[in-house]
Amino acid sequence: MNHQTQSLYSQLPSVDRLLNEPDMEPLLAQFGQHLVVASLRHLQQQARQEISQFNRLPEWSHNWIEAVGCHLMQKQRSGLQPVFNLSGTVLHTNLGRALLAEEAIDEVASAMRYAVTLEYDLDGAGRGHRDNVVSELLSELTGAEAACIVNNNAAAVMLMLAAVAADKEVIVSRGELVEIGGAFRVPDVMRQAGCKLVEVGTTNRTHLRDYREAVSDNTGLLMKVHTSNYSIQGFTSAVDEQELVVLGRELNLPVATDLGSGSLIDLQQYDLPAEPMPQNLIAAGVDLVTFSGDKLLGGPQAGIILGSKKWIEKIQRHPLKRALRAGKLTLAALEATLRLYQQPERLAYSLPTLRLLSRDAIEMKEMAAQLLSPLQACYAGHFTVQAEPCLSQIGSGSLPVDRLPSYALTFEPKDGRGRTLEALAEKWRALPKPVIGRIQEGKLWLDLRCLEDESELLEMLLA
Ligand SMILES: *Cc1c(COP(=O)(O)O)cnc(C)c1O
């Protein structure tokens, strides 16, 4: 080690000396001795590395206390940071899907704070079942005899298959062998549940006779999967649930359908594209219907299985149910969300998911007009800022081809360089409340559909 390097090492202050600096007191009071010491050690390690690699002290080392403060503040940031979702996708899986209604938030807080009657029956003072309350609400809303609640819809499908058709054949159309992002693929889930997938028909056309011809002594279930994240167009033909139910009755086989999203209300009354409704399938005689709690339903992450008493009881008794069951926070949020559906006329206000989806483009256009001039004034140096029409997506594999008219603020770099655009997106991602947009056609787009507090956004973007 040369003389100069040695002198750099000797300039590093000791942990003890830094701890005793008077300026360190506020940090010690805020974060406590343990975290401050760990942070000091981390920074010292970083400084030593800088010396050994580049033969210099790090830039921040002229003010250790400030560096410790920054480091601790950064580490203190929640891993689940609130962001502005201006991506244009309302139910964005990577941003946590549905925003919950205030009623649901209150119920969750209360279930966290107090002991609750999760599996306790106050009338009989005996043991209740955790799914009972939600199951009753779902029966009222959908006409299903019973329901089972699990952690998410992937779990609902898996449990339903394992309980109803393990070691048996499950017949599915080749047009419906869906993959839903990542590891949920119908053939894989079948295998995991111990079922044998029997594919029938072709990618674009499947007929009732295809199902009938595939039935064997070992068939356990006829199943439909909603092709929620793609659409097959052109020369197509599929067998709907109603026809499948007739065949199921004739052959004494249960019929199930996985809706993925599923909506408990007719979305067309809000000028939104139609999405299958669980209650219609129950009415058509489908034995089991599965869907998500945090897609169009607008509730917490959960999987819902609706069906006849006979099948739901069998599902409730399966050992996998214990592994996949929902916790009290999920059940509290789901119950409160479902209660909102008992007043459907208020739903477009009370349910954030529907409120955002049903927003008229005029509303976003007005917001864009208001935000435009202050943002232009601030960003004019490097960007052309405009208000432009755009199309939002519902997201989460709901209604893949349909787009909702909306309005966006767009930022186009005056130097025309993609790097300038990337740098802006990165800067916004580093804000105290990060702003998430989308880059498209050489511009950064901020779709205002999910913006409910304009002044808060302005404060961030002008900072
Ligand atoms: C989204 C979806 C699932 C998975 O639901 P999660 O709640 O994300 O687990 C399963 N099936 C279909 C058809 C879906 O669209």
Side-chain angles (χ1 to χ4, degrees):
M1 198 188 300
N2 69 30
H3 190 71
Q4 194 205 351
T5 311
Q6 212 153 23
S7 119
L8 286 175
Y9 279 119
S10 66
Q11 281 176 49
L12 296 179
S14 78
V15 169
D16 273 346
R17 209 200 86 200
L18 287 166
L19 279 178
N20 288 321
E21 297 246 357
D23 285 353
M24 195 59 105
E25 262 166 40
L27 287 180
L28 284 167
Q30 188 182 348
F31 295 102
Q33 171 107 356
H34 181 81
L35 284 176
V36 171
V37 170
S39 172
L40 283 169
R41 295 225 163 98
H42 169 86
L43 290 175
Q44 270 196 327
Q45 184 61 28
Q46 212 176 307
R48 282 201 202 97
Q49 215 163 353
E50 185 104 356
I51 297 171
S52 80
Q53 264 180 334
F54 305 109
N55 213 19
R56 62 168 190 227
L57 287 168
E59 229 174 275
W60 50 259
S61 67
H62 63 273
N63 191 341
W64 278 78
I65 311 242
E66 190 184 278
V68 173
C70 281
H71 180 237
L72 284 169
M73 216 71 96
Q74 251 173 19
K75 286 196 60 153
Q76 208 67 6
R77 265 193 174 192
S78 165
L80 294 176
Q81 234 184 301
V83 302
F84 288 97
N85 172 14
L86 306 185
S87 66
T89 301
V90 178
L91 296 168
H92 197 303
T93 297
N94 301 350
L95 298 178
R97 291 192 186 160
L99 308 180
L100 296 204
E102 288 305 318
E103 287 85 345
I105 294 166
D106 291 345
E107 287 303 318
V108 172
S110 161
M112 286 196 283
R113 196 167 282 129
Y114 306 111
V116 292
T117 51
L118 178 64
E119 293 186 349
Y120 192 89
D121 181 3
L122 285 176
D123 294 335
R127 188 173 171 144
H129 190 286
R130 64 172 59 211
D131 289 353
N132 273 356
V133 175
V134 168
S135 177
E136 274 164 30
L137 271 169
L138 281 165
S139 295
E140 199 182 296
L141 291 166
T142 67
E145 281 177 18
C148 170
I149 311 302
V150 286
N151 185 46
N152 54 33
N153 187 45
V157 175
M158 168 107 168
L159 171 61
M160 186 265 292
L161 286 170
V164 172
D167 300 324
K168 296 204 170 148
E169 290 165 1
V170 178
I171 304 179
V172 184
S173 160
R174 286 198 171 88
E176 299 172 5
L177 299 175
V178 182
E179 171 182 316
I180 323 280
F184 186 92
R185 306 169 98 187
V186 169
D188 299 342
V189 175
M190 289 276 173
R191 205 173 312 119
Q192 284 296 324
C195 303
K196 182 169 185 287
L197 170 65
V198 175
E199 304 171 19
V200 296
T202 60
T203 306
N204 58 329
R205 288 172 72 83
T206 301
H207 310 282
L208 193 60
R209 63 173 184 274
D210 296 322
Y211 289 89
R212 183 186 287 280
E213 283 162 14
V215 170
S216 78
D217 289 343
N218 198 33
T219 301
L221 181 69
L222 306 176
M223 187 175 176
K224 292 267 305 169
V225 184
H226 185 53
T227 55
S228 51
N229 54 4
Y230 64 98
S231 87
I232 299 177
Q233 290 176 331
F235 185 54
T236 66
S237 169
V239 178
D240 66 24
E241 280 86 351
Q242 220 143 7
E243 297 171 84
L244 220 47
V245 164
V246 174
L247 182 66
R249 294 269 153 83
E250 180 194 320
L251 302 172
N252 198 24
L253 285 171
V255 174
T257 187
D258 172 27
L259 294 183
S261 223
S263 174
L264 290 182
I265 43 160
D266 180 2
L267 293 177
Q268 284 172 293
Q269 63 186 302
Y270 304 97
D271 280 334
L272 291 166
E275 179 78 0
M277 295 164 68
Q279 56 268 53
N280 292 349
L281 297 161
I282 293 292
V286 174
D287 298 274
L288 291 157
V289 180
T290 54
F291 60 105
S292 265
D294 58 350
K295 292 185 181 171
L296 287 171
L297 187 73
Q301 180 189 302
I304 297 165
I305 312 174
L306 300 179
S308 58
K309 262 211 173 70
K310 170 186 142 188
W311 288 114
I312 295 293
E313 272 169 15
K314 188 155 192 222
I315 290 168
Q316 290 284 11
R317 282 196 305 269
H318 193 277
L320 260 183
K321 169 66 203 304
R322 179 63 177 75
L324 301 173
R325 72 184 186 184
K328 65 173 179 174
L329 305 186
T330 300
L331 291 167
L334 190 55
E335 181 189 339
T337 305
L338 290 170
R339 286 200 193 285
L340 299 176
Y341 282 85
Q342 292 177 313
Q343 281 177 273
E345 67 282 359
R346 285 190 56 225
L347 217 50
Y349 306 96
S350 59
L351 192 72
T353 299
L354 188 60
R355 186 167 73 228
L356 297 175
L357 288 175
S358 63
R359 253 177 147 180
D360 196 302
I362 295 280
E363 220 183 303
M364 282 76 88
K365 188 176 179 179
E366 281 168 5
M367 278 196 288
Q370 276 191 2
L371 292 166
L372 188 61
S373 54
L375 288 173
Q376 275 174 335
C378 178
Y379 286 85
H382 300 287
F383 295 92
T384 308
V385 187
Q386 285 178 289
E388 295 188 64
C390 68
L391 295 170
S392 321
Q393 298 190 41
I394 294 176
S396 276
S398 312
L399 316 148
V401 266
D402 295 299
R403 294 282 187 278
L404 314 174
S406 182
Y407 246 81
L409 291 164
T410 61
F411 293 73
E412 187 172 14
K414 290 187 169 163
D415 63 10
R417 289 171 62 189
R419 289 218 4 224
T420 312
L421 210 52
E422 289 290 350
L424 183 65
E426 195 182 318
K427 188 174 125 188
W428 286 350
R429 284 197 298 269
L431 290 168
K433 184 167 174 182
V435 176
I436 313 288
R438 96 171 161 257
I439 290 180
Q440 202 180 312
E441 297 157 9
K443 298 177 191 175
L444 185 45
W445 295 69
L446 300 182
D447 183 335
L448 301 182
R449 174 172 296 278
C450 296
L451 180 65
E452 296 203 277
D453 188 343
E454 298 118 281
S455 55
E456 193 193 8
L457 177 72
L458 211 49
E459 199 181 309
M460 276 300 133
L461 293 183
L462 299 183

